[in-house]
Amino acid sequence: MGADWTRTGDLIVGVQRPPEIIRTLSTAVVPCRCLCVVAELGVADEIEDEPVSVDELASRCGADADALNRVLALLASYGIFRRVGRVYAHTPASRLLRSDDPMSMRAFARLWGAPLLSTVFANLEHSVRTGATAVEVVEPDGTWAYFRDHPGEAQVFAQGMSARASVDIAAVLDVFDFSRFGTIADVGGGRGLLLSAVVEVTPGSKGVLFDLPAVIDALDIQHERLTSQAGDFFVDPLPAADAYLLMDVLHDWDDAHCVDILSAIRRAAAPGATVLVIENVLGELEEEQAKRRHTADVVMLAATGGRERTAIELSSLFNRAGFSSGAVTDTSGPVRIVEARAI
């Protein structure tokens, strides 16, 4: 026998009854869409420290009061908003839907309501049957081509990724000491949120942000120890550095492209330089984190053609590109840090 199951009738102890598991997952799209709509309408921004009636919220947000009440009542059952009759107040979770919260995740919720991801997951069967991305049903040239042609959605995507990254960055800084690196390059670092945070807590370090010209040209970097370099990591030389950060980069690509990215870093890196891959690394995990990481893996399957990998799978990519694999560091969130050294 495999796992040792303890059952009472059809109840697995400590877990929902099997019919409830199926029912919960089958209807999960409903609270998800409610969250996306409330984030899009900016409902949380209309509640300050005092409770607000749903009629007032509907008036401020341009919504139907009865419909909004029913949606908010569902979210309140999940701990998002506190409900007393037709009046709503904040909970710690609903405050994260405010645009001005330091850890705001409003943009992340809006991202999941955007047309591209909604359509991609409506076509997930295409991925499961063929192994190809579901996004190719919408845009044959892939997600990044779609965003080039839909700048409004691209902006929502960038904001959503930044919102999620803010939470992950805090978890990374709590467990990893970057002070041993003099120059740190963030490859594919987007708006530079990770690199800025790292440099801020390591006064002896300087950072170089590397990303596509369109990304770099839109930035206004003010930090005296931060510089930027525009380029394509599949084509252009990367900066020399003591450490290279790859946060949520490799999981966007198949193995061959990952080796190309790592090989480009290896050409720029001196022996002994460090690569830090920061993403949802699969492994033997506590259940809730396993759910998050495997969810991210299916997102990669459908949207980019990449995948979440185990530390052993990442080690194989490192070795093919001229790196020796090293430590794996867990964080309090879903991301892990996998370290490699240039040979």
Side-chain angles (χ1 to χ4, degrees), residues 40 110-111 114-116 146-160:
E40 188 66 33
R110 290 184 65 212
L111 166 65
L116 177 63
Y146 178 92
F147 283 142
R148 284 196 298 271
D149 295 336
H150 298 80
E153 283 191 61
Q155 184 177 20
V156 172
F157 173 79
Q159 291 170 344

Side-chain angles (χ1 to χ4, degrees), residues 118-186:
S118 298
T119 307
V120 162
F121 283 96
N123 287 282
L124 180 61
E125 183 179 344
H126 175 75
S127 289
V128 176
R129 288 189 178 277
T130 67
T133 62
V135 75
E136 71 179 21
V137 176
V138 184
E139 169 53 70
D141 291 330
T143 297
W144 314 123
Y146 178 92
F147 283 142
R148 284 196 298 271
D149 295 336
H150 298 80
E153 283 191 61
Q155 184 177 20
V156 172
F157 173 79
Q159 291 170 344
M161 291 297 96
S162 294
R164 195 201 71 177
S166 296
V167 178
D168 292 339
I169 288 168
V172 168
L173 295 181
D174 280 344
V175 299
F176 197 89
D177 180 12
F178 293 90
S179 63
R180 68 181 188 268
F181 306 121
T183 300
I184 303 169
D186 192 352

